[in-house]
Amino acid sequence: MALPACAAPVLWPPLQPEREAPARTTCPRRHSRVEAELAESRPGSVAASVSADPPRGVSRGFNSQPLTDEPLKASSSQAGAARAPLFALLPRGRRRRMHDLRRRWDLGSLCRALLTRGLAALGHSLKHVLGAIFSKIFGPLASVGNMDEKSNKLLLALVMLFLFAVIVLQYVCPGTECQLLRLQAFSSPMPDPYRSEDESSARFVPRYNFSRSDLLRKVDFDIKGDDLIVFLHIQKTGGTTFGRHLVRNIQLEQPCECRVGQKKCTCHRPGKRETWLFSRFSTGWSCGLHADWTELTSCVPAVVDGKRDAKLRPSRNFHYITILRDPVSRYLSEWRHVQRGATWKASLHVCDGRPPTSEELPSCYTGDDWSGCPLKEFMDCPYNLANNRQVRMLSDLTLVGCYNLSVMPVKQRNKVLLESAKSNLKHMAFFGLTEFQRKTQYLFEKTFNMNFISPFTQYNTTRASSVEINEEIQKRIEGLNFLDMELYSYAKDLFLQRYQFMRQKDHQDARRKRQEQRKFLKGRFLQTHFQSQGQVQSQNPSQNQSQNPNVNANQNVTQNLIQNLIQNLTQSSSQNSIQKENRENPKQNPGQEQSDSNTSNGTNDYIGSVEKWR
């Protein structure tokens, strides 16, 4: 008897069958039916053991069932009989891996079935809930048609609409963050870019009454002429950052030339070899390190014009600007700066033509610097210039005898210094606050009609904010700087009132411009309409004369109305410009506003009469 093709000799030893199992000499594919009959006839064989219980280490799957005596289908019985001895002959590790794979497949099928049934149950319950809601809402309409069918259709339409909206939103803006941003943009209005930087209320209650001239600060700065901006830099107020903005972040016809590695920049006027800015980063400390108001007012004209005679000097306008800061924060920041070794020994403190003597201005330390001093020692020094520094640097020291404390009593001296600082600050061309960077930028741009390239940044975390002090130390610092505290309160009130005034003025100007545009477009429309009517009438003169004998009179009236309308519109535009100038200078032309209002009312009456005639 010849062997089949699948029974060719192999190079490895044949597998040893288990006990009581017949030796395999034929191909299992060809003689599967014979093996199945033998397995069924011998209950103690391997096939019977496999069919009754899986081998050791292999658990039965979820969908597997024990073999019964009932006859199955021919194909399934043959396949099971063929697989059983083969599965038993596999090594134990491979049998375990195959069983794990089958078990995993059964778990996935079970999870999918559970998920499908759960979603079906959820949809069914949702359908009933929504149906009940719609039945409550559309109860009166239940008599018209089948309500269940209508509610199902409406529910389907809503679901489809929601899915379509989700798909469109995902297509337009993929990503969760972008979707949330778009939803927030639809739900909330656009924020004001000039909102309060310190997260306080945008509106405040004014404490001081200022006139319109005090609030309206608009300087006619001629950068091509002889005008000069003088920056009074007070220590630890953010003046270094603002000074860099002036030379590096401002739009000019001829920008400042700043070289790498150099602090000073060359800021020349267009077409001239002359500077328009007197500051640390343009001219350096020409009047001394951190020169105050008293030093700058006497030093700047001499430095800019050199040794010229006063009669030969050009008529310049010196526009002084400065930056102020909260006194407690500024004091702590200066203390930290002194701890790092700052001394400001190069400050001249020139007053009335001479520097102070050592008796008038003693030193608080004996060495080269005051580095490493504790806060208590810094506050205990009675000659510390950090106390009330902002008031001292903004006031006219010649009014109190400079640094000689014996000229007048201390109480009177403090009062004179405070009033002088307030007056100088109010009449300055511009001043800003460190705590309001964006508002400072806005007011500077409106005052000098000069725009910055990039917006200012508000830094809420500084060296002073990292210093933790208790309430007792804070009250003591406020007591040492009581003049600065009062000056800062005054400056903050004036600053915020100026900001609100300028914002309202911008809104009024924009509204006035829109009204002028509407008037102009209305006049153009009337002019075009009358001209088209005149052309139609001129094309059919005989027909018009036969129908209306007074057509010539109407044409003359139309032409006169057009001419008067154009004349009145030009007069109203010129009167609006004059009215704008008079609002800026109300004291020069007090009676002009009434005439302007009369003219505008006359123009409106005239336009109304034209509409009535039409």
Side-chain angles (χ1 to χ4, degrees), residues 575-587:
Q575 292 292 340
N576 287 330
S577 62
I578 295 173
Q579 184 179 2
K580 184 178 179 181
E581 294 178 358
N582 292 333
R583 286 179 178 175
E584 295 179 358
N585 301 317
K587 296 182 180 179

Side-chain angles (χ1 to χ4, degrees), residues 464-510:
S465 62
S466 62
V467 179
E468 296 182 359
I469 56 175
N470 53 28
E471 187 177 356
E472 182 181 358
I473 295 178
Q474 183 174 356
K475 288 183 179 180
R476 186 178 178 188
I477 294 176
E478 292 176 357
L480 293 172
N481 297 270
F482 67 100
L483 295 179
D484 278 4
M485 294 294 294
E486 189 169 352
L487 176 66
Y488 183 78
S489 176
Y490 175 86
K492 184 177 180 180
D493 193 278
L494 178 58
F495 178 84
L496 294 178
Q497 286 195 43
R498 283 181 178 176
Y499 169 76
Q500 287 192 352
F501 180 81
M502 295 300 294
R503 293 282 285 179
Q504 292 176 2
K505 187 176 181 298
D506 286 347
H507 294 327
Q508 292 174 0
D509 293 342

Side-chain angles (χ1 to χ4, degrees), residues 27 58 202 548 580 604 608:
C27 180
V58 180
N548 189 6
K580 184 178 179 181
N604 294 331

Side-chain angles (χ1 to χ4, degrees), residues 597-610:
S597 61
N598 294 332
T599 304
S600 61
N601 292 332
T603 305
N604 294 331
D605 295 337
Y606 178 77
I607 294 175
S609 64
V610 171

Side-chain angles (χ1 to χ4, degrees), residues 126 130 143 218 251 409 422 492 605:
L126 183 63
L130 292 178
S143 60
K218 194 170 182 64
Q251 296 179 358
K422 287 182 179 180
K492 184 177 180 180
D605 295 337

